[in-house]
Amino acid sequence: MEPSRFDIPVGKDSAISRAALARKWGVSDRTMREIVARLRMERTSDPYAIISSSNGAGYWRSMVTEELTAYARERRSRGQKEYAAAGDAERVLKHQGQLSFL
């Protein structure tokens, strides 16, 4: 089965778990997450965004303002933390005089 964004249900109450989505697509958890990331970046006429929650609710498609806002806020916060964490490695590289490769 070719993975599709339409395999992901509409509505938080219908969310599909990571494990169930991986089984549906016949792939590992890691591959499933990579596919979801790719699907999120594709241009589409689907009016819904693929979202998820870190509390384990699974994946669902939504156009609910509150859900979209919470998801975007969570992802931006996670990205900012990851960006900040890279600073430690960059500090050591700078000390070693090797930061120029970035």
Side-chain angles (χ1 to χ4, degrees), residues 69-88:
T69 301
Y71 171 75
R73 186 176 295 126
E74 181 179 309
R75 295 297 295 223
R76 293 213 184 278
S77 175
R78 187 177 302 156
Q80 289 169 347
K81 289 174 186 168
E82 290 295 321
Y83 184 80
D88 190 43

Side-chain angles (χ1 to χ4, degrees), residues 14 19-21 31 39 44 46 55 63 72 76-77 84-85 89 97 101:
S14 300
L21 191 55
T31 299
L39 292 173
T44 178
D46 182 15
N55 70 7
M63 58 186 330
R76 293 213 184 278
S77 175
F101 81 92

Side-chain angles (χ1 to χ4, degrees), residues 18-29:
R18 286 170 51 172
L21 191 55
R23 275 193 310 274
K24 184 174 197 164
W25 288 341
V27 298
S28 68
D29 180 72

